[in-house]
Amino acid sequence: MKLTGLGVSPGIGIGRALVVSRAIPTLRFRVAERRVGSELARLDAARAQSRIQIQQIQNRIATAAGSEHAYLFDAQLLMLDDPMLVDRAAAIVRQDRLNAESALQRALEEVSALFDRIDDPYLRERKGDVADVVGRLVMNLTSNGSALELFRDVEGPLVLIADELSPSLIAQLDLDRLAALVTDAGSWTYHAAILARSIHVPAVAGLRHASGVVPPGAIVAVDGSSGVVLVDPPADVLADLEARSRKRRADERSLDEYAALPAVTADGTVIRIEANVELPEEATRARERGAEGIGLYRSEFLLAGALAAGLDEDAQYRVYRRLIEAMAGGRVTVRTFDVSESQLGLSAAGETARAPLGLRGLRLSLAFDDVFQTQLRALLRAAAHGPLRVMFPFVTGVEELRAARAAVVQAAETLRSRGTSVPHLPLGVMIEVPSAALTIDLLAAEADFVSIGTNDLIQYTLAVDRTDDRVSRMYEPLHPAILRVLRQVAKGAARRGVPVSVCGEMAADPALLPLLIGLGLREFSMTAAAIPMAKQVVRGLRVADTVRLAGRALKAATAADVEAVLAESMATVKR
């Protein structure tokens, strides 16, 4: 089976399929032979717990509505002992070594197929009762232990296949056994895709139905560059892919020497290269790969899987301090929470989903003062331990920056009232929306630095929803409008003498670095894995050449024309 999606993290990964569904929150995988007994025990425990629950429901209905209505649950109790359901699932666990949740799902499919062949419509509708019982069994399996804990013994390496994948789930996995990621949804700029590139795991997104068609335990080969996913490929194809994977790793190792070299062009212009990170633990790897600092720490990852703890001032302070100390004097830039109301857990119960252009980023922080003040106090305290900058996401104008500065002053006064000294904290803004880019002169007059978030800037400038796989291919970093916006921001910040960096995915593309430098940009932040390659590129450039390249690109009429200019330039260099 061959599936084709969007390659979002380069590299080739080969492993056995581990299938995750958000709609039915279970993991489906093959268990090691030594775990078969414990899977059967889990199944028995879930059946016993389900029986107690159904009997309790039956009693409650009898009390409330009369015993004549409680008979409905007699059938569900009988189903628990039906050899075609739980016992059949147990047989699947023994024979095929599937985990209990996966075996129950297959047993349900078999029973459902039988019901579908029944002519009597009343009996056919009983299929819903079976599904209800299976849902309860799965719920009890999940509540009796973390599925992530259970798959720790699954034979690796693993290819995680999900309908939708959260960064928090990835962060909980044993990364040493993770060969690749495959998702039905997503795009190049999904946080899960960004994290995949950050941890150097090949990934393909936008496959639509992969989680429904790839069997758990199948051998899956993922090409994160081409977007091709092969399920149970022939032996010769698999051997070729493994050879290509080994060659790629060797090529990457050949770049290691550049990690320790300065990023200076051939004509002596210093380029600053920093790393984007989601976890403090990544700081060490960032330094090893040659990062001068952390150009973007996405603080919202503190909230992943631990919302209440992530919002605690002391907990945040410890994380920021650990990050600063790990960089050993290297500059650290923390972006305040860039989340929506629902992601922050502040939506009212039952409230319908809000538009993505509603409360998010700095707007949300300003709307929820307690949350914002807590984060600012934690950052101000952490700034005592090393060079720290704070930048605000999704800023649309000067008024918001002034409000954020006032909030920082308030947080500082609170700390001083506690007897805590407060160091100077440089404050910057992210340029992610056209209004911020168009008012760069005004923002640069009041900000200590600016950072271009190219992912959102491209999306909002081109009016392309990058999460919509129907139009995500129109998300074009080389669109002439984007080049003009980047040049305007670079010039506007330079006139005010304000440092400007690029922390979006464009910075990590070695083919685009010469163009960005030619547009006047000198600071970049990218995934740690991309840094040695970026340094190699920088050291082979002459700024005068990049300026000429940018001049030609700015005259191009379409993204394809710009790409042709870049391709011609690269061909000239190779000659």
Side-chain angles (χ1 to χ4, degrees):
M1 183 192 308
K2 178 181 178 181
L3 306 172
T4 303
L6 191 64
V8 295
S9 181
I12 294 172
I14 300 170
R16 290 198 174 275
L18 172 69
V19 183
V20 184
S21 171
R22 192 180 64 161
I24 304 173
T26 60
L27 296 172
R28 290 182 284 147
F29 51 88
R30 283 185 179 162
V31 298
E33 190 166 357
R34 65 181 181 281
R35 284 198 60 91
V36 167
S38 58
E39 281 302 294
L40 294 173
R42 290 179 64 228
L43 200 53
D44 282 341
R47 173 156 55 182
Q49 192 168 349
S50 297
R51 190 188 313 282
I52 293 170
Q53 292 167 346
I54 293 172
Q55 288 170 338
Q56 289 172 340
I57 294 170
Q58 193 175 38
N59 293 337
R60 197 162 55 245
I61 294 296
T63 302
S67 58
E68 68 272 23
H69 297 287
Y71 78 93
L72 294 171
F73 294 93
D74 287 339
Q76 292 201 5
L77 289 169
L78 290 172
M79 288 174 193
L80 289 175
D81 295 321
D82 193 309
M84 295 181 66
L85 194 61
V86 181
D87 291 346
R88 170 61 183 148
I92 292 170
V93 171
R94 291 190 199 93
Q95 294 165 8
D96 298 337
R97 288 173 33 202
L98 292 181
N99 65 316
E101 291 89 339
S102 188
L104 272 170
Q105 184 62 34
R106 186 189 289 181
L108 173 62
E109 291 168 0
E110 292 175 358
V111 172
S112 297
L114 292 176
F115 274 101
D116 288 340
R117 292 198 288 270
I118 297 175
D119 292 332
D120 188 320
Y122 175 80
L123 291 176
R124 207 164 48 234
E125 288 176 1
R126 303 287 70 75
K127 185 171 68 174
D129 291 334
V130 183
D132 192 19
V133 171
V134 169
R136 179 172 300 284
L137 286 162
V138 170
M139 177 188 72
N140 288 322
L141 281 168
T142 305
S143 63
N144 285 338
S146 164
L148 287 170
E149 286 293 328
L150 294 170
F151 97 86
R152 287 190 192 286
D153 286 340
V154 179
E155 296 171 5
L158 300 170
V159 173
L160 186 61
I161 298 174
D163 50 357
E164 191 167 337
L165 198 55
S166 69
S168 60
L169 177 60
I170 300 174
Q172 295 175 68
L173 300 175
D174 179 354
L175 300 182
D176 290 337
R177 293 193 301 142
L178 189 61
L181 300 170
V182 172
T183 58
D184 296 349
S187 67
W188 177 262
T189 51
Y190 247 42
H191 274 174
I194 293 172
L195 183 55
R197 291 192 289 277
S198 180
I199 59 178
H200 221 201
V201 172
V204 173
L207 281 161
R208 291 176 178 267
H209 309 298
S211 64
V213 299
V214 178
I219 293 291
V220 179
V222 179
D223 186 336
S225 300
S226 67
V228 171
V229 175
L230 300 175
V231 181
D232 287 328
D236 58 330
V237 174
L238 198 59
D240 178 61
L241 287 169
E242 288 171 339
R244 286 170 51 197
S245 180
R246 285 194 297 272
K247 182 178 184 307
R248 180 184 175 85
R249 287 196 295 272
D251 291 344
E252 289 174 347
R253 284 195 295 274
S254 72
L255 293 172
D256 285 351
E257 61 181 291
Y258 288 95
L261 298 176
V264 181
T265 64
D267 50 3
T269 297
V270 175
I271 304 296
R272 184 177 180 88
I273 297 183
E274 299 182 320
N276 297 341
V277 300
E278 283 76 35
L279 305 168
E281 291 74 16
E282 295 177 61
T284 300
R285 174 174 167 78
R287 288 180 58 198
E288 291 171 352
R289 304 300 286 174
E292 294 183 62
I294 300 300
L296 172 62
Y297 171 64
R298 299 181 173 94
S299 66
E300 57 271 18
F301 274 74
L302 281 168
L303 309 175
L307 186 58
L311 292 173
D312 179 79
E313 179 184 326
D314 286 339
Q316 288 189 57
Y317 161 72
R318 288 192 292 271
V319 171
Y320 302 143
R321 177 178 175 175
R322 196 160 79 241
L323 182 63
I324 292 167
E325 291 178 342
M327 288 309 295
R331 187 177 74 188
V332 173
T333 303
V334 174
R335 180 177 72 186
T336 54
F337 295 143
D338 186 13
V339 292
S340 65
E341 289 174 271
S342 59
Q343 289 170 315
L344 201 54
L346 296 173
S347 297
E351 190 173 281
T352 56
R354 298 279 192 169
L357 295 183
L359 281 180
R360 61 160 285 192
L362 180 58
R363 293 177 187 170
L364 182 67
S365 294
L366 292 172
F368 293 92
D369 188 58
D370 288 350
V371 174
F372 197 27
Q373 285 295 308
T374 299
Q375 184 171 32
L376 292 175
R377 290 194 301 271
L379 287 164
L380 285 164
R381 288 168 59 191
H385 300 283
L388 175 66
R389 307 192 304 177
V390 170
M391 64 181 175
F392 305 112
F394 214 64
V395 173
T396 57
V398 168
E399 298 93 337
E400 290 174 343
L401 173 58
R402 290 173 181 168
R405 278 196 174 279
V408 174
V409 170
Q410 180 186 340
E413 289 173 350
T414 301
L415 288 175
R416 290 191 186 99
S417 70
R418 295 182 190 169
T420 303
S421 62
V422 179
H424 171 67
L425 190 64
L427 302 177
V429 297
M430 292 201 69
I431 306 298
E432 299 172 282
V433 296
S435 66
L438 290 168
T439 57
I440 183 62
D441 56 326
L442 304 175
L443 287 168
E446 301 191 25
D448 297 315
F449 66 95
V450 300
S451 184
I452 305 173
T454 53
N455 303 343
D456 275 334
L457 184 60
I458 295 168
Q459 170 171 264
Y460 295 121
T461 300
L462 301 182
V464 172
D465 184 348
R466 57 188 176 177
T467 66
D468 186 335
D469 58 8
R470 298 168 302 175
V471 298
S472 61
R473 294 183 190 281
M474 298 168 66
Y475 178 89
E476 296 179 310
L478 296 180
H479 193 289
I482 302 303
L483 302 194
R484 283 159 173 73
V485 168
L486 293 174
R487 181 181 62 170
Q488 176 170 333
V489 173
K491 283 189 172 181
R495 288 193 195 100
R496 292 286 184 178
V498 171
V500 55
S501 64
V502 179
C503 64
E505 290 304 309
M506 282 184 79
D509 190 334
L512 301 187
L513 264 180
L515 176 59
L516 295 174
I517 292 172
L519 290 171
L521 297 157
R522 297 291 183 268
E523 295 188 12
F524 304 94
S525 189
M526 60 192 69
T527 59
I531 291 176
M533 172 70 82
K535 286 190 172 183
Q536 184 197 37
V537 171
V538 166
R539 292 175 65 84
L541 296 175
R542 292 185 178 278
V543 171
D545 295 336
T546 67
V547 171
R548 282 192 288 274
L549 171 67
R552 291 179 58 207
L554 285 166
K555 293 175 183 174
T558 67
D561 293 343
V562 175
E563 192 170 349
V565 169
L566 293 181
E568 184 183 336
S569 173
M570 292 174 69
T572 303
V573 170
K574 287 178 180 175
R575 284 199 297 269

